[in-house]
Amino acid sequence: RDEYICTGSDSGRAWIYDKINGTVVSLLNADHSTCNGVIPHPSLPFFITYGIDPTAKLWRATVPVDGELDDSAEGRRNCARREVYEMSPIVRDWHDVQKQLNKLDSEDIKQLIDVFPDQVPSPKDSQYR
């Protein structure tokens, strides 16, 4: 029993519509240029999209976890925009380290850098012969 209507578009997207009420249930980035078609598997929940670019994409049809949630790329992007960004402790500490490094003058930095390369022994040293 078919529950959805699938179609490609000139925008490169595959549109998945609910057959009963015509609402868009999914909008997929199927091709870089034009999505020429959508081919469903006859019995499994898979379908292929194809277009002008030299790729075909295999998709797995799933039921949304939350019927009220827009799981399209645009829906996920809109949800992320509503979320308040909270800086992680690692990022916050990194910004503090960068501030401290910016306070150092170039001579101090040169001394820090000189510590590493010269203290690494090489096979040419006499102790390795």
Side-chain angles (χ1 to χ4, degrees):
R1 171 183 127 208
D2 295 331
E3 298 177 33
Y4 302 100
I5 298 172
C6 307
T7 183
S9 71
D10 289 339
S11 67
R13 295 183 175 173
W15 294 75
I16 314 295
Y17 299 92
D18 185 306
K19 184 178 178 182
I20 295 172
N21 59 21
T23 60
V24 176
V25 294
S26 190
L27 183 61
L28 308 169
N29 290 321
D31 192 83
H32 293 294
S33 180
T34 299
C35 177
N36 289 330
V38 180
I39 303 172
H41 188 277
S43 59
L44 298 175
F46 292 96
F47 59 95
I48 292 175
T49 58
Y50 64 94
I52 292 177
D53 68 19
T55 62
K57 295 175 181 68
L58 177 65
W59 303 84
R60 181 173 185 266
T62 60
V63 179
V65 175
D66 181 356
E68 300 297 315
L69 181 67
D70 179 5
D71 196 34
S72 68
E74 286 81 12
R76 290 190 300 273
R77 212 173 5 257
N78 290 336
C79 180
R81 287 181 183 149
R82 286 191 300 268
E83 295 293 321
V84 177
Y85 173 72
E86 189 172 317
M87 195 180 305
S88 72
I90 293 171
V91 172
R92 188 173 39 253
D93 291 346
W94 178 249
H95 287 295
D96 292 340
V97 168
Q98 289 296 319
K99 287 177 187 175
Q100 294 300 322
L101 287 175
N102 289 335
K103 290 179 184 177
L104 296 174
D105 63 14
S106 61
E107 195 59 37
D108 292 333
I109 293 174
K110 186 175 184 223
Q111 289 174 4
L112 289 174
I113 294 172
D114 287 343
V115 170
F116 298 108
D118 296 311
Q119 295 183 2
V120 178
S122 70
K124 294 178 183 177
D125 294 336
S126 61
Q127 64 188 15
Y128 290 104
R129 289 185 190 174

